[in-house]
Amino acid sequence: MDEGESSSTNSPSRPWESYNTVFTNAKAGMEGVDKEKVQRIVYEMSKGSKYFQNEERKEALMKQKIEHMRDRCAKLSSSDLSNYQKVVDRRILELEATRDLSRVWLHVDMDAFYAAVETLSNPSLKGKPMAVGGLSMISTANYEARKFGVRAAMPGFIARKLCPDLIFVPVDFPKYTHYSDLTRKVFRNYDPNFIAGSLDEAYLDITEVCRERGLSGGEIAEELRSSVHSETGGLTCSAGVAANRLLAKVCSDINKPNGQFVLQNDRSTVMTFISSLPIRKIGGIGKVTEHILKDALEIKTCGDMVLKGSLLYALFTQSSADFFLSVGLGLGKTDTPEVRSRKSISSERTFAATGDERLLYSKLAEIAEMLSDDMKKEGLMARTLTLKLKTATFEIRSRAVSLQRYTCSSEDILKHATKLLKAELPVSIRLIGLRMSQFNEEARHSDPSQGTITKFIVQKGSSRQNLDDNDSFDLDASKNCLGNDEMLSLSYASHETSYDQLKDVVEYEEQSVTPNQECKKKEDRTQVLEGDALLRKHKDCKADSSAEKTEAVSVLPQMEPLVWVDGYRCNLCGIELPPSFVEERQEHSDFHLAQRLQNEESGPSSSTTPTSKRRILGKEKANSKPKKQKPNQKDDSKHIPIYTFFTKSNQNS
């Protein structure tokens, strides 16, 4: 931050100058906007709101991080910095060895996509300031509206204050998806394996196309943009051409709208370009990271990251420091990611904060229907459902449940989502999201309800006693492990930064607990549910004496008891299930038991959790004599044949 900015920021008579939110960040088309005017209006209209209070909390947290970073920086000795500089010099050589200037990457970004689609559908909107959304939130603003400081993610009532003549158009996602499909049809002509960033952007490797047709990257970009305009009936896009995806994305933003920028595949050109580039232009560096780098370390440009590399490696994790250093060198990914099946599919909607339960359930039904349609379109079926909520105070809540079968049915999704939502009410909510994950690898081509062999694996003696249906297992679900949606991902590969000290998210606030509630929690922590009961049932299975006096062998892992911490969180994997989900909890207990049975059968090497083992030999006591082995018979005491896990049947019956 410049000295002039710092002095004005501290002025008590101009408090808005220190109020920097997403609403005041400039986008393409906002270059000539009076930033101070926008800041003042946003500040005055936000002051006292829940959003404002949340921004103040985040601002205070960010200042604490900056002060903490400054303190750590001040404690570094010259000897420390010298040692870290050696690390930087070595990493620069290693990173430089990975530089690839042989590829040509193109990043294409549609211009004000939603707004442009609406204008294409209604030509009377052309030339008028218009935004897609409503008074509660704006999805996209056209370039005429951006001249007034109106931008995406801004509340509509603030946008109306900035631009009194602003026209609002309701969101129409099916329409936007249709036009997105048209653009992707064009992209496939240049790169069948293009990477879709969202509905309105994509990365294309045009190396082979340039070589085969003898054209430059700039010529291909111009041709592609013309094809998009023709295919969509008038939509424009901007493009960036460079040696890697990171640089291509930066370049596509330089000449927006309806323009392009080409960065030559030459190291000196790349270094000149990147050295003076503001750090905020890099994907993965957001507001918090920008302020910490600028205010704590005085790093303002990408070139500064190389010059102050020793500080970065001293104060950040190696993965974070590697990312910053690679950015400073203008390095990015040049290979096409392997085609991998997606891990999840989701849908969410933001609306005016409300506590009206009827309205919330209605919104939930709409989202469940949209998610179901998306899954059917892609031929996906899943069994883990996650509900995401953002409250009126901008607190993020996430709850999940494992379903009994793979599904893409809107009825199934809504049924379980309703239970999850009901457990959170009453609460005022401004965003609801649903995500389905844990796909069946064969779900696209087979019936997900079809039983697998693992569902019939049971522990039982030779008495052929039938167990209840509840004792069959589906091991697929035991692999479930939910991630945290709100964690920013840091990866040098994808150029999205994530590290704990720089999370720009609202932390979940612990609620105050009364003594009675604390006692209840302690009881919940010690409560062992159906998992152990099922184990006991297996242990009590008695082996009948057969004609050959053989005894069935059952191997049971000594498992950590399944406990619902705080009454809803599994202590083994962290999944959250409300107490009312009785069937789901039973199934979840079965999952963990089945996982351990599978690990035991496959041997110690495949076990994910080290566990001690014990052998139960019918009613045999520990001091009984071992059975005689036949000559040349191998000792199988360390490995139990798989057939011992199956129910034996009388083939003569």
Side-chain angles (χ1 to χ4, degrees), residues 235-296:
L235 297 182
T236 64
C237 61
S238 299
V241 179
N244 58 60
R245 296 198 291 274
L246 179 142
L247 294 174
K249 181 173 178 63
V250 174
C251 291
S252 67
D253 195 53
I254 292 177
N255 288 322
K256 277 181 121 351
N258 196 23
Q260 63 184 56
F261 183 87
V262 179
L263 182 64
Q264 298 301 322
N265 287 20
D266 175 76
R267 185 184 182 282
S268 61
T269 303
V270 169
M271 293 304 294
T272 301
F273 173 81
I274 200 74
S275 62
S276 59
L277 190 71
I279 56 177
R280 188 60 183 273
K281 292 290 185 180
I282 300 297
I285 297 182
K287 182 180 73 171
V288 172
T289 309
E290 178 191 27
H291 277 287
I292 288 178
L293 292 176
K294 288 175 66 175
D295 298 345

Side-chain angles (χ1 to χ4, degrees), residues 103-106 203-205 240-245 248 334-336:
R103 312 300 299 177
V104 183
W105 278 92
L106 183 151
Y203 296 87
L204 292 80
D205 184 351
V241 179
N244 58 60
R245 296 198 291 274
T334 59
D335 59 320
T336 301

